[in-house]
Amino acid sequence: MTEVTSFADLADANAFMDSLFVYRDPPAVAPLKGAAAHEVAVGPVHAGVIEPGHFRFQCMGEDVYNLQIFLGYQHRGVEEAIVAAQGNAARQIALAETCAGDTSIAAATCFAEIQEAFANVAIPEDARRLRTLLLELERIANHVGDLGALAGDVAFLPTASFCGRIRGEYLNMTALLCGNRFGRNAVVPGGLRVELTEEKRLKLVDWIATVKKDLDAALKLMFEEPSVCERFDGTGVVPKAVAEELGLVGVARRASVELHGDVLSRAMVRRTEIEEAHRKVLDLLRKCTASTRSPMPAQLPAHNGFAALTAKVNAWRGELLHVALFDATGQLLRYRIVDPSAHNWQGLAWALRGEQISNFPICNKSFNLSYCGTDR
């Protein structure tokens, strides 16, 4: 979905771009007092291949009274690089895809939709279906990985092991479609670089039927294991009213609005979204044919005044937002990316209130937010 906002004045256009959501570090708080009061600092350097982020827990004994989350230790300049690369759509879309690698397809779709809307190009319906198919495979792979990681955090190794392998199956399905496990260089302005052949379609239908049985069995093991459910149930609760006040999106919001807002609820929402995505994928596989691609103009057309185009995609973490500001000649002036994670970090901080610090790993994994999705 793309929206266009027009401005006659550059100052108004820049004010609009500046008003877009930016994650800001939490304000300083007074330290706790008492013999059992202490602070635990984690990061920004972590023992894993993740972006830098700093967590500061204020604790009384083992109980967390407040969690402060600090981001922005590494600024890569992705948004500025996209602007600098205008005229080279392949370079721009590669930058958008790698802002948060686990959301490559959603990011490429946002960028492509902005270009198409500005040039008034309508893509073929089969291309739109195939983009949705890739988005749903991206959703399934990430949710499967997260559920397996949650199982690992409570030492339930059967589901952790199965999901690690099964996630790879869905990534390989994406690779079958476009040659890359993360879907890079598949979505382009005007449609897609790849096609869904009849051979690929039949293989995917059979592949999904086989893998889905393994996935159902792996998740059944975890969700029917009392010791696992006991650890998840009632842990890291974000009430509905708090979720709405904080503006949570995606899995985190659904878990609080539709269920109980705890770790178990966020795990159950992922399982629900996996089922929803499978139904959509199989429906799309029945409808998709070899997709075509609409030609894009060599240069974006001129418009009156300044135009900010906003593209929204329902990515696997929630609503992903890309905004591009163009001048009257079609020159790209500014680009902004708002990852759904930016809205949800304070939800994680709230989830830790009153919890024992040992529950941080499963609370954190139940959100699984991106440090780098918003490069600011």
Side-chain angles (χ1 to χ4, degrees):
M1 181 176 65
T2 309
E3 300 173 358
V4 181
T5 308
S6 299
F7 304 92
D9 184 80
L10 179 58
D12 291 337
N14 280 323
F16 171 79
M17 298 295 285
D18 291 337
S19 70
L20 297 172
F21 187 93
V22 177
Y23 181 84
R24 302 191 185 280
D25 289 338
V29 296
L32 294 175
K33 296 181 179 180
H38 64 284
E39 292 189 354
V40 178
V42 179
V45 178
H46 298 272
V49 187
I50 61 174
E51 296 286 317
H54 177 66
F55 299 89
R56 182 165 291 272
F57 301 84
Q58 289 189 305
C59 302
M60 188 70 72
E62 292 295 310
D63 296 328
V64 178
Y65 276 62
N66 186 49
L67 168 60
Q68 293 180 290
I69 301 172
F70 300 87
L71 306 177
Y73 287 87
Q74 179 173 295
H75 177 69
R76 297 163 296 160
V78 172
E79 296 170 347
E80 293 87 348
I82 290 174
V83 174
Q86 60 186 306
N88 185 349
R91 172 64 177 161
Q92 289 177 304
I93 210 162
L95 288 163
E97 286 174 333
T98 53
C99 190
D102 56 18
T103 316
S104 294
I105 297 166
T109 301
C110 279
F111 178 85
E113 288 185 353
I114 285 174
Q115 298 285 307
E116 293 153 2
F118 196 84
N120 197 27
V121 170
I123 68 170
E125 187 59 33
D126 275 327
R128 193 175 302 280
R129 290 192 185 109
L130 188 49
R131 281 184 183 178
T132 303
L133 175 60
L134 287 167
L135 280 168
E136 295 307 315
L137 287 177
E138 184 172 72
R139 186 186 316 279
I140 295 169
N142 282 295
H143 283 342
V144 169
D146 283 353
L147 289 172
L150 266 174
D153 277 346
V154 294
F156 191 67
L157 299 185
T159 297
S161 301
F162 280 126
C163 285
R165 191 264 300 173
I166 293 169
R167 172 178 176 267
E169 297 274 5
Y170 288 100
L171 293 176
N172 288 335
M173 292 178 200
T174 300
L176 172 68
L177 281 170
C178 60
N180 185 282
R181 282 158 56 90
F182 293 97
R184 292 177 184 167
N185 199 28
V187 177
V188 294
L192 293 106
R193 182 186 58 82
V194 298
E195 292 186 357
L196 176 64
T197 64
E198 181 64 10
E199 181 184 2
K200 289 180 180 179
R201 188 185 70 81
L202 292 174
K203 183 173 182 179
L204 281 171
V205 171
D206 291 340
W207 198 350
I208 289 171
T210 300
V211 175
K212 182 62 163 55
K213 292 178 182 177
D214 292 345
L215 176 59
D216 289 343
L219 297 183
K220 186 173 185 288
L221 284 173
M222 181 173 76
F223 282 99
E224 293 186 2
E225 172 55 49
S227 64
V228 173
C229 292
E230 192 276 332
R231 285 284 282 118
F232 291 172
D233 189 19
T235 300
V237 176
V238 181
K240 176 181 177 180
V242 173
E244 292 176 339
E245 182 179 353
L246 293 175
L248 302 190
V249 298
V251 170
R253 184 179 185 87
R254 286 189 69 177
S256 293
V257 173
E258 300 175 12
L259 299 172
H260 309 295
D262 54 6
V263 170
L264 181 60
S265 297
R266 289 185 283 276
M268 291 173 66
V269 167
R270 292 185 193 281
R271 191 183 193 185
T272 297
E273 291 199 355
I274 286 172
E275 293 297 322
E276 294 169 348
H278 272 96
R279 287 194 292 270
K280 188 176 292 186
V281 164
L282 292 174
D283 181 59
L284 289 166
L285 284 172
R286 284 192 293 269
K287 295 177 179 177
C288 280
T289 59
S291 64
T292 55
R293 182 172 165 186
S294 298
M296 293 291 293
Q299 184 175 351
L300 292 178
H303 285 252
N304 294 324
F306 301 91
L309 276 75
T310 303
K312 301 175 182 177
V313 169
N314 180 25
W316 67 277
R317 283 192 179 95
E319 185 179 83
L320 175 64
L321 187 74
H322 283 220
V323 185
L325 176 64
F326 296 91
D327 68 10
T329 68
Q331 286 289 105
L332 178 61
L333 302 179
R334 296 180 65 181
Y335 202 90
R336 284 290 315 279
I337 300 171
V338 183
D339 188 90
S341 298
H343 299 282
N344 288 345
W345 282 108
Q346 289 309 310
L348 173 60
W350 182 279
L352 263 292
R353 292 187 181 183
E355 291 290 340
Q356 291 206 328
I357 195 169
S358 58
N359 281 336
F360 174 69
I362 60 173
C363 289
N364 186 33
K365 182 52 65 178
S366 71
F367 281 85
N368 190 19
L369 305 178
S370 172
Y371 293 82
C372 63
T374 301
D375 189 36
R376 301 186 74 78

